[in-house]
Amino acid sequence: MDDALPVPAPDRSARPSTARRMLPPLVTLAGVSAAFTYVGLVDPNETGHYPVCPLYGLTGVLCFGCGGLRSAHAVAHGDWIAALGDNALATVGYPVFAVLWVVWAVRAGKALPVAINLRPVWWWALGGVILAFSVVRNVPFGSWLAP
């Protein structure tokens, strides 16, 4: 017969510690900071440091991300105008990401749920903007959007 005392079940209603809740936003911040630091130090305007976009390399068509590394490099050096010229969509996305990250970190710190619950129409609209940006930057009248 087993003489061991029963082990109580863990209390699943207990909130995780603040450190545990803040881990995902802080790891994300560290990753993004490391990426921007690397791109800021290793200039994508010089050939040989980064691979060519596969879509551009195979077809000559610019995708929505083409120029994103040059844009990040310009932002890392504080040149927002050059960043807009390299990839306007990415440049607008940087502050949007920053705001969403702050909301995430604050809500995680306060143990509030963190979710982006957008109706499908907003996701379709975002996809439409990305698609329109991709098409317009590849036609003659939209060449000002090309890096």
Side-chain angles (χ1 to χ4, degrees), residues 77-95:
H77 290 271
D79 191 353
W80 285 87
I81 301 302
L84 278 169
D86 290 327
N87 188 316
L89 189 62
T91 304
V92 169
Y94 302 143

Side-chain angles (χ1 to χ4, degrees), residues 33-44 50 69 72-77:
S33 297
F36 265 87
T37 299
Y38 182 80
V39 173
L41 294 172
V42 181
D43 190 354
Y50 300 96
L69 286 174
H73 179 78
V75 168
H77 290 271

Side-chain angles (χ1 to χ4, degrees), residues 18-39:
T18 301
R20 175 93 168 127
R21 292 190 315 267
M22 291 302 295
L23 187 62
L26 292 176
V27 168
T28 301
L29 179 63
V32 170
S33 297
F36 265 87
T37 299
Y38 182 80
V39 173

Side-chain angles (χ1 to χ4, degrees), residues 33-34 39 55 62 74 90 100 103 115 118 143:
S33 297
V39 173
L55 181 65
L62 298 167
L100 290 173
V103 169
L118 294 177
S143 62

Side-chain angles (χ1 to χ4, degrees), residues 10-16:
D11 182 11
R12 303 250 186 240
S13 65
R15 290 189 332 188

